[in-house]
Amino acid sequence: MLKRFFVLFIGLISIAISALAETGNVKGLLKDADNGQPIEFATIAITDTNGKMVTGGITDIDGAFNIPGLKVGKYTITCSYMGYTPITFSIDITNEKQTANVGTRKLQPEVSQLDEVKVTGKASQMRFELDRKVFDASNNIAAEGGSASDLLATVPSVEVDNDGAVSLRGNSSVTIWINGKASGLSADNQGDILQLLPADNIKQIEVITNPSAKYSPEGSAGIINIILKDERTSGYFGSLKAGANTNGGYNASGNINVNISKWEFGLDVSRRHREMHGGGEAHQEVLTTGEDSRLSPLSVLEEKSDTENSGGNWFGRFKMTFHPTPKNDIGIVVSGMKGDGEGEEEIDYTQYGDGKGGILSDKLYYTSKRETVSDRENKMGHLEFNYRHTFTDDHMIDFSVSRFTWNMDNAAVYTQGYDYTDDTADITTIQIDNSGVDDKGTEVQLDYSVKIADIIKLEAGYKGNFTRNGSNTERVDRDNTYTLQDFQYDQDTHAGYLTLGGKIGDMSIQGGLRAEQWEFTTEDETHTLDFDKTEISPAGSITRANKDFFKLFPSLFISYALPSGNEIQVNYTRRLRRPWGGQLNPARQISDAHNIRFGNPGLTPEYTNAFELNYIKMWESGQTVSFSAYYRSTKDVMDHISFTQGNIRYNTQANVSDRKSLGTELVGKNRISTWFELTTTLNMFYQKIEAYRFAPDKAWLEHMTGSSETTSVVEGDEKNTFNWNMRMIANITLPADISLQATGMYRGKSKGVQGYTKPMGGLDLGIKKSFLKDKLVLNINGRNVLNTSKFRNVFESDQLYQESKRWRNGCVFNCTLTWKFGNLSLNKKKGGPEGEGGGDDEGISYSGGVD
């Protein structure tokens, strides 16, 4: 199938080149009149003197266009892009002058003047750029008052599960950035941070499914880049916001931005309190060894849980930028988060059969109740320094250095009572589990870019990432033994990259190579003590590991602009997924007595070769269709693996197999009318999971489970699966400044190494109403209004079968009120360089808010 795609791609290029073999061409550059930034993927329409469409094209990543195929004659050029006022001008193609160079043209953002209030045109919720899709968060009504996790759950191709884990196109190996940098997020903490970060602080989300060599290769599915709000307009403006939901949660935030002369300041402060109600059910069978094991299990365990969690956090962010000269920018960003929470959980177990022999699954053996009381505190800090020197618009250098910290302390007490039906004495056990996380790191980045002549662009840079991740666990177990465990995971990464891009006619080519050298070390120190806290093993147990790697990651991007807003792209990248501290940490998680989790220090990275073929069609009316075909081949996939001892399921991770995925993604953005816009995403992929065999060292298994009876070999045959998911977002604009939004989602059955996830759907609704010339905004939204977003999983192995269902919160309605204020001046200083306040605009007075 992949070969057919390439044949189609080459054939379309050949047809286009033949069709465009005419005399003259027109070229130029399109920029934003306010900030001087290039406008990508703007539509260029060319008509003759009779108004008949002749040909056209779209601008590239630098805002440039070059449209061939013009005979001698007079033409009218129309440049347009959604949210801007179109411009029209005329050109002549003669035998003496076959190339019409129209230079730099500027588009003005669409505005209307209402009593000294400037209201900008409403931006589209989604737009396409050369290597990414960009989603506007400011128009997402459904996520108002929620968290970053809530917002991500509304983005096409992105899924967020019940624990806050994020996946892209069905693949959980995705890297998440804030403002183009890791900002302290890792696989260990990103779920916690995203659930704490307010959605109100987010400007847009970029989805980069196949990043070039300029970006980190981490994450085989791609990169999700969260861009925080960062206004840069003269004067001052801000907003105050407050809201509450039907779950008992509330949020409040305020921000102010002051930009004076060469200085820019911004301050954001928010408080968010959340109440979460959840639960679950599970049916588990310990199987016999015969073919009819499902019909005659040794034991059956029924499980029901109810969870209550509450917590709150403060989030603050201060940014300052100094422009000493028009060519130099110096910036500092300081952000922090502090929060706490508490939780209670009850799990009721009912077991039929003791699982020791004979078919006893129809006989009640015991009932049990496990009660958990927990407390949590967390702190996050991030400091960043930025410097940019702009030699020209096409020649610049960027330098940044940042430092982050993440601390979290958990304390939990587990009380469990057993009531047996036979002569076994009833018992009550208590376990105490105190754990902490201490992560910190430094990131250094240097980027250089220069445009050589008009068609070649070179980018080069270095990135260093140095992380120190520590965790500690203090546990009192059922037999009154104490376990003290410290785990340290350190990683140092050095990376250098070089990309070179060029343009020949309507074809753009970019090749790149990234070299990465990284080293990680782990140290696990465990001490076991008796009731009197006397160490049972005087020397304790210390395990150390050190591994280093050097790998090359090439990338290649080719795009071809066809007439009438059509474009074809093909690209290739090599990517990887490195194991993080939580996947390596062998400390056991015991919140569920029958489902115990721990990491695997023996994990190694997985590597992916990723190919994509993209077709994009844009219309002047704002309609857009994108079709993507992608192929991923991954070696040494890190996946969840489970094995059993009696009715206890142990869960860890291992490099279990190789995996191949072939899929298509269709995205349509339809402006059905001036008041109705529909965005639809359909993702379908075929996946092949190779046969696997998991046979870890028995001594390690005995150390982790406390028993030598654990089944040590888990294996499975090759699996071929088909998965699909769909999301549809409808935006409706009504009179009287009322906006409606509906988001529907459906995810089909998804198979994994040892089971599958059942289908799931959901619906979110939202309404927004503006008052007082947009100074006051009321937002009401409902998430999961049909209460159908429940995660249902099936686990299958030779020893155990389990069906489980989990849910969180159910249907929740949220109400948020926002007041915008400011005294903003949008006047430009005449005579400044392009992009630095130059232009011919007259001053426009502004009072009110910015939308």
Side-chain angles (χ1 to χ4, degrees), residues 56-122:
I58 57 177
T59 57
D60 63 14
I61 191 172
D62 299 313
F65 60 90
N66 189 352
I67 303 173
L70 299 177
K71 298 179 180 179
V72 172
K74 296 181 180 295
Y75 298 94
T76 299
I77 312 296
T78 302
C79 305
S80 60
Y81 189 72
M82 187 177 298
Y84 291 84
T85 302
I87 59 173
T88 300
F89 50 90
S90 299
I91 63 167
D92 288 336
I93 299 294
T94 65
N95 289 325
E96 293 77 20
K97 186 180 180 183
Q98 297 181 358
T99 298
N101 189 341
V102 300
T104 300
R105 301 284 175 153
K106 297 182 179 181
L107 294 186
Q108 290 280 358
E110 291 179 349
V111 298
S112 59
Q113 194 75 16
L114 293 174
D115 299 332
E116 296 188 358
V117 177
K118 176 187 171 187
V119 182
T120 62
K122 182 179 179 180

Coordinates of all heavy atoms in Angstrom, one line a residue, residues 56-122:
G56 N -3.8 29.2 -9.7 CA -3.6 29.7 -8.3 C -2.6 28.9 -7.5 O -1.9 28.1 -8.1
G57 N -2.5 29.2 -6.2 CA -1.6 28.4 -5.4 C -1.7 28.9 -4.0 O -2.7 29.6 -3.6
I58 N -0.8 28.4 -3.1 CA -0.8 28.8 -1.7 C 0.6 29.2 -1.3 O 1.6 28.8 -1.9 CB -1.3 27.7 -0.8 CG1 -0.5 26.4 -1.0 CG2 -2.8 27.4 -1.0 CD1 -0.9 25.3 -0.1
T59 N 0.7 30.0 -0.2 CA 2.0 30.4 0.2 C 2.7 29.3 1.1 O 2.0 28.5 1.6 CB 1.9 31.7 1.1 OG1 1.0 31.4 2.2 CG2 1.4 32.9 0.3
D60 N 4.0 29.3 1.1 CA 4.7 28.3 1.9 C 5.0 28.8 3.3 O 4.4 29.7 3.8 CB 6.1 27.9 1.2 CG 7.0 29.1 1.1 OD1 6.8 30.1 1.8 OD2 8.0 29.0 0.4
I61 N 5.8 28.1 4.0 CA 6.1 28.3 5.5 C 6.7 29.7 5.7 O 6.5 30.3 6.8 CB 7.0 27.3 6.1 CG1 7.0 27.4 7.6 CG2 8.4 27.3 5.5 CD1 7.7 26.2 8.3
D62 N 7.3 30.3 4.7 CA 7.9 31.6 4.8 C 7.0 32.7 4.2 O 7.4 33.9 4.0 CB 9.3 31.7 4.0 CG 10.2 30.7 4.7 OD1 10.3 30.7 5.9 OD2 10.9 30.0 3.9
G63 N 5.7 32.3 3.8 CA 4.8 33.3 3.2 C 5.1 33.6 1.8 O 4.5 34.5 1.2
A64 N 6.0 32.8 1.1 CA 6.3 33.0 -0.3 C 5.4 32.2 -1.2 O 4.9 31.2 -0.9 CB 7.8 32.7 -0.5
F65 N 5.2 32.8 -2.4 CA 4.5 32.1 -3.5 C 5.2 32.3 -4.8 O 5.8 33.3 -5.0 CB 3.1 32.5 -3.5 CG 2.8 33.9 -3.8 CD1 2.7 34.4 -5.1 CD2 2.7 34.9 -2.8 CE1 2.5 35.8 -5.4 CE2 2.5 36.2 -3.0 CZ 2.4 36.7 -4.3
N66 N 5.1 31.3 -5.7 CA 5.7 31.4 -7.0 C 4.9 30.5 -7.9 O 4.9 29.3 -7.9 CB 7.2 30.9 -7.0 CG 7.9 31.1 -8.3 OD1 7.2 31.5 -9.3 ND2 9.2 30.9 -8.4
I67 N 4.0 31.1 -8.7 CA 3.0 30.4 -9.5 C 3.4 30.5 -11.0 O 3.3 31.6 -11.6 CB 1.6 31.0 -9.2 CG1 1.3 30.9 -7.7 CG2 0.6 30.3 -10.0 CD1 0.0 31.6 -7.3
P68 N 3.7 29.4 -11.6 CA 4.0 29.4 -13.0 C 2.8 29.2 -13.9 O 1.6 29.1 -13.4 CB 5.0 28.2 -13.2 CG 4.5 27.3 -12.1 CD 3.9 28.1 -11.0
G69 N 3.0 29.0 -15.2 CA 1.9 28.6 -16.1 C 1.1 29.8 -16.6 O -0.1 29.6 -17.0
L70 N 1.7 31.0 -16.7 CA 0.9 32.2 -17.2 C 1.4 32.6 -18.6 O 2.6 32.7 -18.9 CB 1.1 33.3 -16.2 CG 0.7 33.1 -14.8 CD1 1.0 34.4 -14.0 CD2 -0.8 32.9 -14.7
K71 N 0.4 32.7 -19.5 CA 0.7 33.1 -20.8 C 0.8 34.7 -20.8 O 0.5 35.3 -19.9 CB -0.4 32.7 -21.8 CG -0.5 31.2 -21.9 CD -1.7 30.8 -22.8 CE -1.8 29.3 -23.0 NZ -2.9 28.9 -23.8
V72 N 1.3 35.2 -22.0 CA 1.4 36.7 -22.1 C 0.0 37.3 -21.9 O -1.0 36.8 -22.6 CB 2.0 37.0 -23.4 CG1 1.9 38.5 -23.7 CG2 3.4 36.5 -23.5
G73 N -0.1 38.3 -21.1 CA -1.4 39.0 -20.9 C -1.5 39.7 -19.6 O -0.5 39.7 -18.8
K74 N -2.7 40.2 -19.3 CA -3.0 40.9 -18.0 C -3.8 40.0 -17.1 O -4.7 39.3 -17.5 CB -3.7 42.2 -18.3 CG -3.0 43.2 -19.1 CD -3.8 44.5 -19.3 CE -3.1 45.5 -20.2 NZ -1.9 46.0 -19.5
Y75 N -3.4 40.1 -15.8 CA -4.1 39.2 -14.8 C -4.4 40.0 -13.5 O -3.7 41.1 -13.2 CB -3.2 38.1 -14.4 CG -2.9 37.1 -15.6 CD1 -1.7 37.3 -16.3 CD2 -3.7 36.1 -16.0 CE1 -1.4 36.5 -17.4 CE2 -3.5 35.3 -17.0 CZ -2.3 35.5 -17.8 OH -2.0 34.7 -18.8
T76 N -5.4 39.5 -12.8 CA -5.7 40.1 -11.5 C -5.3 39.0 -10.4 O -5.7 37.9 -10.5 CB -7.2 40.4 -11.4 OG1 -7.5 41.4 -12.3 CG2 -7.5 40.9 -10.0
I77 N -4.6 39.5 -9.4 CA -4.1 38.6 -8.3 C -5.0 38.9 -7.1 O -5.0 40.1 -6.7 CB -2.6 38.8 -8.0 CG1 -1.8 38.7 -9.3 CG2 -2.2 37.7 -7.0 CD1 -1.9 37.4 -10.0
T78 N -5.5 37.9 -6.4 CA -6.2 38.1 -5.2 C -5.6 37.2 -4.1 O -5.5 36.0 -4.3 CB -7.7 37.7 -5.3 OG1 -8.3 38.4 -6.3 CG2 -8.5 37.9 -4.0
C79 N -5.1 37.8 -3.0 CA -4.5 37.1 -1.9 C -5.5 37.1 -0.7 O -5.9 38.2 -0.3 CB -3.2 37.8 -1.5 SG -2.0 38.0 -2.9
S80 N -5.7 36.0 -0.2 CA -6.7 35.9 0.9 C -6.3 34.8 1.9 O -5.7 33.8 1.6 CB -8.1 35.6 0.4 OG -8.1 34.4 -0.3
Y81 N -6.8 35.1 3.2 CA -6.6 34.1 4.2 C -7.6 34.4 5.3 O -7.9 35.5 5.6 CB -5.2 34.1 4.8 CG -4.8 33.0 5.8 CD1 -4.6 31.7 5.3 CD2 -4.8 33.2 7.2 CE1 -4.3 30.7 6.2 CE2 -4.5 32.2 8.0 CZ -4.3 30.9 7.5 OH -4.0 29.9 8.4
M82 N -8.1 33.3 5.9 CA -9.2 33.5 6.9 C -8.8 34.4 8.0 O -7.7 34.2 8.6 CB -9.6 32.1 7.4 CG -10.9 32.1 8.3 SD -11.4 30.5 8.8 CE -11.7 29.8 7.2
G83 N -9.7 35.3 8.4 CA -9.4 36.3 9.4 C -8.7 37.5 9.0 O -8.4 38.4 9.8
Y84 N -8.4 37.6 7.6 CA -7.7 38.8 7.1 C -8.6 39.4 5.9 O -9.4 38.7 5.3 CB -6.3 38.5 6.5 CG -5.3 38.1 7.6 CD1 -5.2 36.8 8.1 CD2 -4.4 39.0 8.0 CE1 -4.3 36.4 9.0 CE2 -3.5 38.7 9.0 CZ -3.4 37.4 9.5 OH -2.5 37.1 10.4
T85 N -8.4 40.7 5.7 CA -9.0 41.3 4.6 C -8.3 41.0 3.3 O -7.1 41.3 3.2 CB -9.1 42.8 4.8 OG1 -9.8 43.1 6.0 CG2 -9.8 43.5 3.6
P86 N -8.9 40.4 2.2 CA -8.2 40.1 1.0 C -7.7 41.4 0.3 O -8.2 42.5 0.5 CB -9.3 39.4 0.1 CG -10.3 39.0 1.1 CD -10.3 40.0 2.2
I87 N -6.6 41.2 -0.5 CA -6.1 42.3 -1.3 C -6.1 41.8 -2.7 O -5.9 40.7 -3.1 CB -4.7 42.7 -0.8 CG1 -3.7 41.5 -0.9 CG2 -4.7 43.3 0.6 CD1 -2.2 41.9 -0.7
T88 N -6.2 42.8 -3.7 CA -6.3 42.5 -5.1 C -5.4 43.5 -5.8 O -5.4 44.7 -5.5 CB -7.7 42.6 -5.6 OG1 -8.5 41.7 -4.9 CG2 -7.8 42.3 -7.1
F89 N -4.6 43.1 -6.8 CA -3.8 43.9 -7.6 C -3.6 43.3 -9.0 O -3.9 42.1 -9.2 CB -2.4 44.2 -6.9 CG -1.7 42.9 -6.5 CD1 -0.9 42.3 -7.3 CD2 -1.9 42.5 -5.2 CE1 -0.2 41.1 -6.9 CE2 -1.3 41.3 -4.8 CZ -0.4 40.6 -5.6
S90 N -3.1 44.1 -9.9 CA -2.9 43.6 -11.3 C -1.5 43.4 -11.7 O -0.6 44.0 -11.1 CB -3.6 44.6 -12.3 OG -4.9 44.7 -12.0
I91 N -1.2 42.5 -12.6 CA 0.1 42.3 -13.2 C 0.1 42.1 -14.7 O -1.0 41.8 -15.2 CB 0.8 41.0 -12.5 CG1 0.0 39.7 -12.9 CG2 0.9 41.1 -11.1 CD1 0.7 38.5 -12.6
D92 N 1.2 42.3 -15.3 CA 1.3 42.1 -16.8 C 2.4 41.1 -17.0 O 3.5 41.1 -16.4 CB 1.7 43.4 -17.5 CG 0.5 44.4 -17.5 OD1 -0.6 43.9 -17.4 OD2 0.8 45.6 -17.6
I93 N 2.2 40.1 -17.9 CA 3.2 39.1 -18.4 C 3.4 39.4 -19.8 O 2.5 39.4 -20.7 CB 2.7 37.7 -18.2 CG1 2.4 37.4 -16.7 CG2 3.7 36.7 -18.8 CD1 3.6 37.4 -15.8
T94 N 4.7 39.8 -20.1 CA 5.0 40.1 -21.5 C 6.2 39.2 -22.0 O 6.8 38.5 -21.1 CB 5.5 41.6 -21.6 OG1 6.7 41.8 -20.9 CG2 4.4 42.5 -21.1
N95 N 6.4 39.2 -23.2 CA 7.6 38.4 -23.7 C 8.9 38.9 -23.2 O 9.8 38.2 -23.0 CB 7.6 38.5 -25.3 CG 6.5 37.7 -25.9 OD1 6.1 36.7 -25.3 ND2 5.9 38.2 -27.0
E96 N 8.9 40.3 -22.9 CA 10.2 40.8 -22.3 C 10.2 40.6 -20.8 O 11.3 40.5 -20.3 CB 10.2 42.3 -22.6 CG 10.4 42.7 -24.1 CD 9.1 42.5 -24.9 OE1 8.0 42.6 -24.2 OE2 9.1 42.4 -26.1
K97 N 9.1 40.6 -20.2 CA 9.1 40.4 -18.7 C 8.2 39.3 -18.4 O 7.0 39.4 -18.1 CB 8.5 41.7 -18.1 CG 8.6 41.7 -16.5 CD 8.1 43.0 -16.0 CE 8.1 43.0 -14.4 NZ 7.5 44.2 -13.8
Q98 N 8.8 38.1 -18.4 CA 8.0 36.9 -18.1 C 7.8 36.5 -16.7 O 7.0 35.7 -16.3 CB 8.7 35.7 -18.8 CG 8.8 35.8 -20.3 CD 9.5 34.6 -21.0 OE1 9.9 33.7 -20.3 NE2 9.5 34.6 -22.3
T99 N 8.5 37.2 -15.8 CA 8.4 37.0 -14.3 C 7.9 38.3 -13.7 O 8.5 39.4 -13.8 CB 9.7 36.6 -13.7 OG1 10.1 35.3 -14.2 CG2 9.5 36.5 -12.2
A100 N 6.7 38.2 -13.1 CA 6.2 39.4 -12.3 C 6.5 39.2 -10.8 O 5.9 38.3 -10.2 CB 4.7 39.5 -12.6
N101 N 7.4 40.0 -10.3 CA 7.8 39.9 -8.9 C 7.0 41.1 -8.2 O 7.3 42.2 -8.4 CB 9.3 40.1 -8.7 CG 9.7 39.9 -7.3 OD1 8.9 39.9 -6.4 ND2 11.0 39.6 -7.1
V102 N 6.0 40.7 -7.4 CA 5.2 41.7 -6.8 C 5.7 42.1 -5.4 O 5.1 42.9 -4.7 CB 3.7 41.2 -6.6 CG1 3.2 40.8 -8.0 CG2 3.7 40.0 -5.7
G103 N 6.9 41.6 -5.0 CA 7.5 42.0 -3.7 C 6.7 41.5 -2.5 O 6.0 40.5 -2.6
T104 N 6.8 42.3 -1.4 CA 6.1 41.9 -0.2 C 4.8 42.6 -0.1 O 4.7 43.8 -0.2 CB 7.0 42.3 1.0 OG1 8.2 41.7 1.0 CG2 6.2 42.0 2.3
R105 N 3.7 41.8 0.0 CA 2.4 42.3 0.2 C 1.9 42.0 1.6 O 2.3 41.0 2.2 CB 1.4 41.7 -0.8 CG 1.9 41.9 -2.3 CD 1.6 43.4 -2.7 NE 2.1 43.7 -4.0 CZ 1.5 44.6 -4.9 NH1 0.5 45.2 -4.5 NH2 2.1 44.8 -6.1
K106 N 1.1 42.9 2.2 CA 0.6 42.7 3.5 C -0.9 42.6 3.6 O -1.6 43.3 3.0 CB 1.1 43.9 4.4 CG 2.6 44.0 4.5 CD 3.1 45.1 5.4 CE 4.6 45.2 5.5 NZ 5.0 46.3 6.4
L107 N -1.4 41.7 4.5 CA -2.8 41.5 4.7 C -3.1 42.1 6.1 O -2.4 41.9 7.1 CB -3.2 40.0 4.7 CG -3.1 39.3 3.4 CD1 -3.6 37.9 3.5 CD2 -3.8 40.0 2.3
Q108 N -4.2 42.8 6.2 CA -4.7 43.4 7.4 C -5.7 42.5 8.1 O -6.6 41.9 7.4 CB -5.4 44.7 7.2 CG -4.5 45.9 6.7 CD -3.8 46.5 7.9 OE1 -4.0 46.1 9.0 NE2 -2.9 47.5 7.6
P109 N -5.6 42.2 9.4 CA -6.6 41.4 10.1 C -8.0 42.1 10.0 O -8.1 43.3 10.0 CB -6.1 41.4 11.6 CG -4.7 41.7 11.5 CD -4.5 42.6 10.3
E110 N -9.0 41.3 9.8 CA -10.4 41.8 9.6 C -10.8 42.4 10.9 O -10.7 41.9 12.0 CB -11.3 40.7 9.2 CG -11.1 40.1 7.8 CD -12.1 39.0 7.5 OE1 -12.8 38.6 8.5 OE2 -12.1 38.6 6.3
V111 N -11.3 43.7 10.9 CA -11.8 44.4 12.0 C -13.0 45.1 11.7 O -13.3 45.4 10.5 CB -10.7 45.4 12.6 CG1 -9.5 44.7 13.0 CG2 -10.4 46.5 11.5
S112 N -13.8 45.4 12.7 CA -14.9 46.4 12.6 C -14.9 47.3 13.8 O -14.5 46.9 14.9 CB -16.3 45.6 12.6 OG -16.4 44.9 13.7
Q113 N -15.3 48.6 13.6 CA -15.2 49.6 14.6 C -16.5 49.8 15.2 O -17.5 50.1 14.6 CB -14.7 50.9 13.9 CG -14.2 51.9 15.0 CD -12.8 51.5 15.5 OE1 -12.2 50.7 15.0 NE2 -12.5 52.2 16.6
L114 N -16.6 49.7 16.6 CA -17.8 49.8 17.3 C -17.6 50.7 18.5 O -17.1 50.2 19.5 CB -18.4 48.5 17.7 CG -18.9 47.5 16.7 CD1 -19.3 46.2 17.3 CD2 -20.1 48.1 15.9
D115 N -17.9 52.0 18.4 CA -17.8 52.9 19.6 C -16.5 52.8 20.3 O -16.4 52.4 21.5 CB -18.9 52.7 20.6 CG -20.3 52.9 19.9 OD1 -20.3 53.8 19.0 OD2 -21.2 52.3 20.4
E116 N -15.4 53.0 19.6 CA -14.0 52.9 20.1 C -13.6 51.5 20.5 O -12.5 51.4 21.1 CB -13.8 53.9 21.3 CG -14.0 55.3 20.9 CD -13.6 56.2 22.1 OE1 -13.3 55.7 23.1 OE2 -13.7 57.5 21.9
V117 N -14.4 50.5 20.3 CA -14.0 49.1 20.6 C -13.7 48.4 19.3 O -14.4 48.3 18.4 CB -15.2 48.4 21.3 CG1 -14.8 47.0 21.6 CG2 -15.5 49.1 22.6
K118 N -12.5 47.9 19.3 CA -12.0 47.1 18.1 C -12.3 45.7 18.3 O -11.7 45.1 19.3 CB -10.5 47.4 17.8 CG -10.0 46.6 16.7 CD -8.5 46.8 16.6 CE -7.9 45.8 15.6 NZ -6.4 45.8 15.7
V119 N -13.1 45.0 17.5 CA -13.4 43.6 17.7 C -12.8 42.9 16.5 O -13.0 43.1 15.3 CB -14.9 43.4 17.6 CG1 -15.2 41.9 17.8 CG2 -15.6 44.2 18.7
T120 N -11.8 42.0 16.8 CA -11.1 41.3 15.8 C -12.0 40.2 15.2 O -12.9 39.7 15.9 CB -9.9 40.6 16.3 OG1 -10.2 39.7 17.3 CG2 -8.9 41.7 16.9
G121 N -11.8 39.8 14.0 CA -12.5 38.7 13.3 C -12.2 37.4 14.1 O -11.2 37.1 14.6
K122 N -13.3 36.5 14.2 CA -13.1 35.3 14.9 C -12.3 34.3 14.2 O -12.5 34.0 13.0 CB -14.5 34.7 15.2 CG -14.5 33.4 16.0 CD -15.9 32.8 16.2 CE -15.8 31.5 16.9 NZ -17.2 31.0 17.1

